[in-house]
């Protein structure tokens, strides 16, 4: 028995000494030693580091106070360089994140789409822009920035669904540090978009900010998949992942959507109750299935935008006039329109919110259709604006009506 106690004490001492060594290496990094020098020291003394050790070290440094923004950027980039190739792979008996629809599976799908966007569009368009800052090349980069803004939904799900559960288990590093880097990336994309929308010849400024975005998005993907997600999978329960999966729809998805509905073996009863439940309205009761089928069978396309200009719903009829994908859910309506027409959308919404208008109509020729587009301000019983309903219909068949029809054909 005494031998077992001694072994435990020695293991604990060894563990403590190891953490102190890692902390000293981090301290050297924070004090300005080069990444190359610290990396060599790290490889010689530590070799491999676990996700739990990273969590502990980040927690210790978080407790020491808030760092200035530029210092956070420098240190997070240095941490990433230090960790690459040194994180010990987690050995877990089960891998629920490999199941389509699991929140981590969806996060990784989004990361693949972000990598594809950067590799096949952003990097190429940046190179073209560096060679010639023509209006065409400016516009290509602007379109890329509009797509990159979709990353906000990815970050929001991470920050509002995963971070709170990690904090519940005493893990504060991601919510304190990673969230700040997320904000830096958001701000950089918005800055690039602003510079490109009002381009005044600052070619070098745009190259600098877009290069920063490319590097930081790639590094964030590495941090998520090698540190954050394993950390979350080690701590969160299946019920917590079920809640995250269910609540993710409310925020929306980035450039893609879940590959499937995740159905763990032990699914919470509340989930079944919601999916099989009924909605009681003032003039009747419908099941969720009936309501969805009813909306999809309307001879019009409808889209609902909430009071914050975020797309929350669109009907999915057999023949939509304008294509929609589920990736638009959770995006602001401004980012769903080409930059050249955004001002029209914003003027319309401003009039609805100010109470100047309740409806606006447009009609256009589109392919082989004559399309009637109507926008309605949706207000509650107190007259408060809660969103806008877009109503789109092909009126060619209606315009062709002549005479009367009184019997079944």
């Amino acid at each position: 028995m005494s031998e077992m106690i001694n072994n435990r004490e020695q293991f604990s001492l060894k563990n403590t000494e190891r953490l102190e060594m890692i902390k000293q290496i981090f301290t050297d990094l924070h004090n300005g030693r080069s990444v190359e020098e610290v990396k060599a020291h790290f490889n010689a003394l530590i070799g491999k580091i676990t996700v739990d050790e990273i969590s502990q070290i980040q927690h210790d440094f978080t407790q020491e106070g808030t760092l200035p923004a530029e210092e956070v950027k420098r240190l997070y980039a240095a941490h990433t360089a230090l960790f690459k190739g040194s994180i010990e792979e987690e050995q877990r008996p089960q891998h629920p994140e490999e199941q389509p629809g699991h929140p981590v599976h969806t996060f990784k799908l989004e990361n693949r789409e972000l990598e594809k966007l950067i590799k096949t569009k952003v990097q190429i368009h940046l190179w073209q822009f560096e060679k010639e800052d023509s209006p065409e090349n400016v516009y290509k980069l602007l379109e890329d920035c509009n797509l990159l803004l979709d990353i906000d939904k990815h970050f929001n799900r991470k920050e509002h669904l995963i971070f709170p559960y990690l904090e519940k288990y005493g893990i504060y590093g991601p919510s304190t540090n990673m969230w700040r880097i997320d904000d830096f990336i958001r701000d950089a994309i918005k800055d690039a978009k602003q510079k490109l929308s009002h381009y005044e010849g600052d070619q070098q400024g745009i190259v600098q900010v877009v290069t920063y975005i490319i590097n930081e998005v790639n590094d964030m993907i590495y941090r998520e998949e090698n540190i954050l997600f394993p950390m979350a999978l080690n701590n969160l329960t299946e019920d917590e992942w079920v809640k995250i999966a269910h609540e993710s729809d409310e925020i929306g998805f980035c450039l893609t959507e879940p590959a499937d509905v995740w159905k763990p073996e032990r699914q919470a009863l509340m989930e079944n109750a919601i999916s099989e439940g009924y909605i009681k309205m003032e003039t009747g009761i419908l099941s969720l299935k009936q309501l969805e089928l009813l909306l999809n069978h309307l001879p019009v396309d409808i889209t609902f935008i909430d009071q914050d200009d975020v797309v929350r719903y669109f009907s999915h009829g057999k023949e939509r006039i304008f294509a929609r994908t589920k990736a638009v859910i959770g995006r602001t309506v401004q980012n769903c329109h080409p930059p050249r027409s955004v001002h029209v959308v914003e003027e319309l919404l401003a009039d609805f919110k100010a109470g100047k208008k309740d409806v606006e109509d447009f009609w256009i020729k589109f392919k082989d259709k004559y399309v009637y587009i109507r926008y309605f301000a949706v207000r509650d019983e107190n007259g408060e604006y809660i969103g806008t309903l877009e109503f789109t219909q092909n009126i060619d068949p209606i315009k062709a009506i002549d005479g009367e029809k009184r019997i079944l054909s």
Side-chain angles (χ1 to χ4, degrees):
M1 178 66 75
S2 61
E3 185 182 344
M4 187 180 294
I5 292 170
N6 287 337
N7 285 343
R8 283 177 183 167
E9 287 175 349
Q10 286 172 10
F11 178 78
S12 177
L13 181 62
K14 216 175 203 180
N15 232 20
T16 304
E17 289 174 351
R18 178 179 163 85
L19 277 172
E20 284 304 314
M21 287 169 64
I22 296 171
K23 188 167 183 181
Q24 184 55 53
I25 289 170
F26 269 71
T27 302
D28 291 342
L29 198 61
H30 284 226
N31 288 340
R33 287 181 70 178
S34 71
V35 175
E36 293 76 15
E37 191 179 358
V38 173
K39 178 77 170 172
H41 195 205
F42 178 88
N43 290 341
L45 293 177
I46 306 299
K48 292 286 185 181
I49 188 169
T50 68
V51 168
D52 288 340
E53 287 170 335
I54 293 172
S55 173
Q56 181 60 52
I57 293 297
Q58 287 186 338
H59 175 76
D60 290 345
F61 276 92
T62 298
Q63 298 298 93
E64 294 178 2
T66 304
L67 297 167
E70 288 307 312
E71 186 65 359
V72 171
K73 290 179 183 178
R74 181 186 77 82
L75 288 174
Y76 232 65
H79 289 179
T80 304
L82 188 64
F83 293 146
K84 279 187 177 176
S86 300
I87 300 174
E88 198 170 290
E89 192 173 339
E90 295 289 318
Q91 300 298 322
R92 289 180 287 109
Q94 295 179 322
H95 294 271
E97 73 278 10
E98 294 177 0
Q99 299 170 19
H102 186 284
V104 172
H105 186 277
T106 303
F107 274 118
K108 288 185 176 181
L109 279 183
E110 291 176 325
N111 282 342
R112 301 294 78 79
E113 289 299 315
L114 285 165
E115 287 171 337
K116 180 180 171 185
L117 172 60
I118 287 171
K119 189 174 181 180
T120 64
K121 289 190 175 181
V122 183
Q123 288 179 330
I124 294 170
H125 294 158
L126 180 62
W127 175 75
Q128 291 171 340
F129 173 80
E130 284 185 277
K131 288 184 68 179
E132 182 189 0
D133 59 343
S134 64
E136 182 185 358
N137 289 335
V138 168
Y139 184 76
K140 285 177 184 177
L141 273 181
L142 182 57
E143 287 285 277
D144 294 342
C145 286
N146 273 332
L147 291 171
L148 279 170
L149 278 174
D150 223 29
I151 204 170
D152 185 56
K153 290 180 281 186
H154 180 97
F155 287 165
N156 272 327
R157 295 203 324 280
K158 179 174 67 174
E159 294 156 357
H160 295 289
L161 299 179
I162 291 183
F163 288 180
Y165 284 115
L166 288 177
E167 289 171 10
K168 172 183 164 184
Y169 294 104
I171 301 169
Y172 295 94
S175 51
T176 303
N177 299 315
M178 187 177 280
W179 199 326
R180 292 187 75 186
I181 300 297
D182 289 350
D183 284 342
F184 294 148
I185 294 171
R186 288 182 176 107
D187 291 344
I189 297 171
K190 290 172 186 173
D191 182 36
K193 184 178 175 182
Q194 176 70 16
K195 283 182 166 73
L196 288 160
S197 297
H198 307 282
Y199 185 60
E200 296 177 349
D202 184 15
Q203 187 182 36
Q204 189 55 43
I206 288 171
V207 170
Q208 188 176 350
V209 70
V210 174
T211 301
Y212 171 82
I213 292 164
I214 290 169
N215 292 337
E216 282 304 315
V217 170
N218 283 328
D219 279 351
M220 185 55 73
I221 289 171
Y222 178 85
R223 294 170 192 134
E224 288 178 354
E225 299 193 1
N226 292 275
I227 300 171
L228 178 68
F229 298 154
M231 197 182 286
L233 289 162
N234 282 349
N235 288 279
L236 273 58
T237 66
E238 186 180 77
D239 283 344
E240 287 165 343
W241 285 118
V242 166
K243 289 176 184 176
I244 289 171
H246 176 66
E247 292 171 6
S248 292
D249 286 337
E250 181 66 22
I251 296 173
F253 303 96
C254 168
L255 301 177
T256 186
E257 57 191 57
D260 202 349
V261 176
W262 182 49
K263 295 177 182 177
E265 293 179 10
R266 186 172 54 86
Q267 192 170 13
L269 291 176
M270 184 58 72
E271 297 297 310
N272 291 330
I274 291 172
S275 64
E276 296 169 9
Y278 285 77
I279 297 175
K280 184 177 181 181
M281 294 171 280
E282 189 176 349
T283 54
I285 299 174
L286 293 171
S287 71
L288 286 174
K289 186 69 174 176
Q290 288 172 330
L291 179 60
E292 187 170 32
L293 287 170
L294 183 153
L295 291 168
N296 288 341
H297 277 74
L298 291 174
V300 297
D301 295 342
I302 60 174
T303 302
F304 178 69
I305 304 151
D306 71 12
Q307 68 272 18
D308 298 316
D309 304 342
V310 176
V311 180
R312 291 299 177 195
Y313 169 80
F314 65 88
S315 60
H316 197 55
K318 291 180 180 178
E319 295 182 9
R320 278 202 66 89
I321 296 170
F322 301 118
R324 292 275 193 278
T325 69
K326 291 179 184 177
V328 304
I329 303 297
R331 291 189 82 185
T332 59
V333 68
Q334 289 88 342
N335 288 327
C336 297
H337 286 78
R340 67 190 70 178
S341 64
V342 166
H343 69 284
V344 177
V345 176
E346 289 180 335
E347 285 174 18
L348 173 60
L349 293 175
D351 285 344
F352 281 0
K353 290 173 184 177
K356 294 179 180 178
K357 291 181 180 178
D358 285 317
V359 63
E360 186 69 77
D361 298 340
F362 302 89
W363 44 95
I364 60 171
K365 288 284 187 179
F366 181 71
K367 297 180 180 178
D368 60 339
K369 299 177 175 65
Y370 195 40
V371 182
Y372 189 31
I373 307 167
R374 312 197 71 192
Y375 292 93
F376 298 93
V378 180
R379 308 187 190 279
D380 64 15
E381 59 275 10
N382 299 316
E384 290 293 319
Y385 174 81
I386 65 164
T388 294
L389 178 68
E390 180 190 71
F391 175 105
T392 308
Q393 184 176 17
N394 176 18
I395 58 171
D396 257 339
I398 297 173
K399 284 170 59 56
I401 292 174
D402 188 28
E404 295 183 348
K405 178 182 176 182
R406 292 176 178 267
I407 59 173
L408 291 172
S409 53

